[in-house]
Amino acid sequence: MRALITGATGYVGSRLVPALLDAGFDVLAGARDPGKLAAFDTSPGGSPPEGTSPGSSTQESTASSGLALSRIATSVELDVMDADSCARALSGHGQVDVAYYLVHGLGEGDFAETDLVGARTFASAAAAAGVRRIVYLGGLVPPGQELSEHLESRRVVGETLREFGRGVDLVWLRAAIVLGAGSTSFELIRHLVDRLPVIPVPVWMEHRVQPIAVDDVVHYLRHSAEADVPAGAYDIGGPDALPYRDLVATYARVSGRRRFLLPVRGVSTALAARVIGWVVPLPSPLVADLVDSLSNTMVVTEETIRRFVPSPPGGVTGVREALRRCATPAGVAVVGPGASADALRLNDTDPEWAG
Ligand SMILES: NC(=O)c1ccc[n+]([C@@H]2O[C@H](COP(=O)([O-])OP(=O)(O)OC[C@H]3O[C@@H](n4cnc5c(N)ncnc54)[C@H](OP(=O)(O)O)[C@@H]3O)[C@@H](O)[C@H]2O)c1
């Protein structure tokens, strides 16, 4: 089966590439600047095989970890805002069976409009190219709540992929925050806790969230390519739902830091985002867009995915265990996502503000 991954340089996409290769897929790794992919290990299970250049071509190869004979991914230029670029990526490398949509413009100005146009352009091209299925990972859509701009945009992207991908099955996975070192949401928590001995806790941090570890996300994404999973929208989540406040406290505990959480009243998400933007090294617009979503309760409201996808080996990862694995120091730089036995560890290709 041939899969095209949009956002292959991103947090989730970079971890999905080696997982699909391991599962025997032909993988096209899409990026606006495919040159960037050379820094990633786009082979299964480890560093690139000797004599091959990662991310340059598809070749038969034996992974250094001794995994079965497998392939490395093909780097493909792809800008979802550009119809010609989408058509070339979807048709220029053989028939694409499954296209993973893992793109967003969060933190980049008018992301809602950009995300809408990107989804429309890509879905239309996928329909024209005869793609069988699009698998999209978006945010949860908590019923009966006014959604933050970010969550509303993620919802609109799902609806747009469905509307413009005529004749293409859409499997739409919906998740709250994804846990793993390098994930924007986790890095926000890490930097706050690492830097502040006293952490102000506004009332909206009492809202509950049900995070999911990135290796479990990858598990669900991989299985969503299979025909056993009917087209539709599915919530995915870890086993624990807890207030945002407790998520912060749990990270402080597992990372061995004594922190005092101070309840505060009258602090809006907008004010908090401004202050957090000064404290953490993440780009301020990204922080603002993310913190805005803390006003929503983010827990799964249906679990039909369990009927179609087996649980990950060992079961889904709990919050404490996921945070423990994220908190482990990266140590020697891990070269490429496939080189790490643990997708929750930091990679040297993750953003410079991570870790
Ligand atoms: N991380 C989380 O906590 C979380 C939680 C729930 C759902 N999700 C969903 O998971 C998906 C992936 O998120 P992520 O955290 O992996 O994001 P990320 O690390 O920020 O990656 C975003 C990716 O989008 C690509 N991109 C942006 N504009 C593009 C364009 N015009 N054409 C092609 N590619 C473009 C970027 O590529 P460049 O290298 O070209 O910039 C990058 O690879 C998103 O749909 C998100 O809503 C994530």
Side-chain angles (χ1 to χ4, degrees):
M1 189 168 345
R2 183 170 294 117
L4 169 70
I5 303 180
T6 67
T9 55
Y11 177 67
V12 175
S14 65
R15 283 153 174 88
L16 181 63
V17 169
L20 291 188
L21 288 166
D22 276 347
F25 285 69
D26 262 346
V27 177
L28 308 178
R32 283 183 285 193
D33 172 6
K36 262 192 184 176
L37 286 165
F40 288 79
D41 181 356
T42 45
S43 68
S47 36
E50 255 175 62
T52 66
S53 147
S56 56
S57 65
T58 304
Q59 302 174 27
E60 291 292 330
S61 62
T62 306
S64 59
S65 63
L67 289 171
L69 202 67
S70 192
R71 292 169 175 278
I72 59 174
T74 301
S75 297
V76 170
E77 186 176 339
L78 171 61
D79 181 344
V80 299
M81 302 296 286
D82 177 342
D84 291 341
S85 166
C86 292
R88 277 195 303 275
L90 286 159
S91 305
H93 308 270
Q95 178 66 49
V96 169
D97 302 297
V98 181
Y100 285 91
Y101 199 77
L102 303 173
V103 167
H104 69 78
L106 199 64
E108 292 180 14
D110 188 2
F111 64 83
E113 176 62 16
T114 311
D115 284 353
L116 171 65
V117 173
R120 192 189 293 154
T121 308
F122 185 78
S124 304
V131 171
R132 180 173 59 77
R133 167 167 295 201
I134 294 176
V135 178
Y136 164 55
L137 175 66
L140 284 179
V141 185
Q145 295 182 42
E146 191 182 333
L147 299 179
S148 69
E149 200 185 349
H150 166 49
L151 292 176
E152 173 61 10
S153 169
R154 298 287 79 204
R155 187 193 67 76
V156 168
V157 164
E159 300 295 353
T160 305
L161 292 171
R162 183 151 50 203
E163 186 185 344
F164 284 82
R166 288 195 190 90
V168 185
D169 280 354
L170 175 68
V171 174
W172 174 357
L173 300 184
R174 307 188 293 205
I177 64 179
V178 176
L179 290 181
S183 165
T184 313
S185 331
F186 168 72
E187 293 298 337
L188 193 58
I189 297 170
R190 185 209 295 269
H191 286 298
L192 269 181
V193 171
D194 288 0
R195 283 168 166 71
L196 299 179
V198 177
I199 302 172
V201 179
V203 281
W204 37 263
M205 282 189 69
E206 298 298 328
H207 293 158
R208 287 187 319 140
V209 61
Q210 188 167 356
I212 181 165
V214 69
D215 52 354
D216 294 332
V217 171
V218 166
H219 172 85
Y220 285 115
L221 284 170
R222 177 164 73 76
H223 283 276
S224 295
E226 289 160 13
D228 300 356
V229 181
Y234 304 95
D235 288 359
I236 56 171
D240 306 312
L242 69 175
Y244 286 104
R245 167 181 43 80
D246 290 1
L247 188 60
V248 170
T250 306
Y251 172 70
R253 262 198 308 280
V254 302
S255 64
R257 289 175 168 77
R258 285 174 149 262
R259 294 294 183 257
F260 182 66
L261 271 53
L262 179 70
V264 291
R265 299 204 154 269
V267 176
S268 66
T269 48
L271 175 60
R274 261 213 307 283
V275 176
I276 293 171
W278 295 326
V279 175
V280 302
L282 281 70
S284 298
L286 190 57
V287 170
D289 292 341
L290 274 181
V291 172
D292 185 37
S293 294
L294 300 183
S295 53
N296 285 112
T297 296
M298 294 288 280
V299 298
V300 306
T301 51
E302 62 85 43
E303 297 187 314
T304 43
I305 193 73
R306 288 187 184 195
R307 282 195 224 144
F308 308 112
V309 177
S311 289
V316 282
T317 310
V319 160
R320 200 182 156 77
E321 172 62 10
L323 289 175
R324 191 189 61 72
R325 281 159 58 190
C326 300
T328 307
V332 179
V334 177
V335 181
S340 173
D342 188 351
L344 278 90
R345 295 279 301 274
L346 197 66
N347 278 297
D348 63 347
T349 46
D350 288 327
E352 57 191 15
W353 40 256

